[in-house]
Amino acid sequence: LMQHFLSRLSLSVVLLLASWPSFSAHAAEALWAKYDGDHFIVFLKVPDDAFAKRAHDEAEAALSHILQNLSYTKPKKGWQKSGRAKIYLYESQAAFQTAGGSPSWAAGHANYETKSIASFVTSQSFFDTTLPHEVAHLVLFELTVNFWNVPRWMHEGFALSQEKKMGSRMDPAVKQAAREGKMVPLTMLTIVNPAEQTPGAANVYYAEAKAFVSFLLKKHGGHRFQTLIKKLSEGKEFEDSIERAYKGIYDDMDDLEEKFYAFLNAL
Ligand SMILES: [Zn+2]
């Protein structure tokens, strides 16, 4: 969980950043309405067939899109039958908050251990933002194996970069920060704690994380990004992992940073 202090203005940016707390309260899932699909099972606290089907279909679309961005050419292994991800949808934000102990700004959670997502049906941003964001978390969690070795900003940057709309709404903030020389140096992203920053600086931090992941994916594709994640999850330092994954492309971190800033300018 992060940033209780963030103002309503910055709410849009941080709405989905909290993804680690575990929901333990889905225990009575037998009582929930269920919609079975290929890679997802949708559980609704209050039955609504149309909503459940749409949630399933959009989750499938988000998964394909994310896998495509990561250059997967085959269907994801282990996400069928007993390996399907579960999506728990509460009837209201209040019910969602009570079940997960979430702060008022949270719109969704992804839990790696239970391979599940929780949110609520009245959320305005569910289909465009929350759902692709949380599906992206599950995919990346799985890829990182021991996900605590991969910096948190990388997880959030990736999840934000896979949202349909919200992600690109963050770009102006990072462009402005780049113009004003307020960017966090890439090697500092892991060291800086956004919770200790002002709301404005925390927004720039996440916008930068998102923009950097988008830059890597758009410029160099999913294979190299997967290598980067693999190196990080093996416990290698950020600079070392970058060097191995983007071998022959960048002379050093300064060179990478320069090209990243040029990419931002062109957005
Ligand atoms: Zn997140």
Side-chain angles (χ1 to χ4, degrees), residues 109-163:
H109 289 295
N111 185 298
Y112 173 70
E113 277 163 27
T114 55
K115 201 171 178 178
S116 68
I117 289 166
S119 187
F120 51 98
V121 297
T122 51
S123 165
Q124 296 290 316
S125 58
F126 179 69
F127 290 113
D128 282 345
T129 308
T130 311
L131 188 59
H133 183 106
E134 304 302 347
V135 172
H137 269 311
L138 288 185
V139 172
L140 198 68
F141 282 156
E142 194 174 75
L143 203 65
T144 61
V145 193
N146 296 311
F147 58 86
W148 44 88
N149 285 333
V150 173
R152 195 161 178 154
W153 68 263
M154 187 71 84
H155 280 283
E156 288 310 332
F158 179 71
L160 290 165
S161 77
Q162 302 305 303
E163 294 174 6

Side-chain angles (χ1 to χ4, degrees), residues 8 33 43 46 48 85 91 111 153-154 163 194 237:
R8 284 199 75 80
F43 293 91
V46 175
D48 179 340
E91 70 276 28
N111 185 298
W153 68 263
M154 187 71 84
E163 294 174 6
E237 296 293 330

Side-chain angles (χ1 to χ4, degrees), residues 113-264:
E113 277 163 27
T114 55
K115 201 171 178 178
S116 68
I117 289 166
S119 187
F120 51 98
V121 297
T122 51
S123 165
Q124 296 290 316
S125 58
F126 179 69
F127 290 113
D128 282 345
T129 308
T130 311
L131 188 59
H133 183 106
E134 304 302 347
V135 172
H137 269 311
L138 288 185
V139 172
L140 198 68
F141 282 156
E142 194 174 75
L143 203 65
T144 61
V145 193
N146 296 311
F147 58 86
W148 44 88
N149 285 333
V150 173
R152 195 161 178 154
W153 68 263
M154 187 71 84
H155 280 283
E156 288 310 332
F158 179 71
L160 290 165
S161 77
Q162 302 305 303
E163 294 174 6
K164 274 196 205 166
K165 282 184 186 161
M166 197 70 90
S168 54
R169 274 186 220 158
M170 297 174 84
D171 291 340
V174 76
K175 279 185 81 162
Q176 192 186 338
R179 273 200 305 274
E180 294 171 354
K182 289 182 179 163
M183 298 285 280
V184 180
L186 292 175
T187 50
M188 293 294 289
L189 282 170
T190 306
I191 299 155
V192 169
N193 180 359
E196 290 167 359
Q197 310 302 308
T198 62
N203 282 351
V204 169
Y205 178 91
Y206 286 111
E208 183 177 338
K210 180 258 160 191
F212 183 60
V213 171
S214 297
F215 164 74
L216 293 178
L217 288 171
K218 281 181 186 156
K219 283 274 175 184
H220 309 296
H223 289 302
R224 284 187 192 265
F225 186 78
Q226 283 197 50
T227 305
L228 172 65
I229 295 300
K230 188 163 178 286
K231 296 299 168 195
L232 288 167
S233 60
E234 287 166 6
K236 300 221 162 35
E237 296 293 330
F238 177 63
E239 288 188 58
D240 189 18
S241 303
I242 286 277
E243 208 170 285
R244 287 161 191 262
Y246 298 91
K247 214 174 175 63
I249 297 179
Y250 299 110
D251 301 336
D252 50 28
M253 288 305 284
D254 288 344
D255 182 35
L256 167 63
E257 210 151 54
E258 203 175 292
K259 292 189 172 128
F260 169 46
Y261 290 0
F263 168 85
L264 289 177

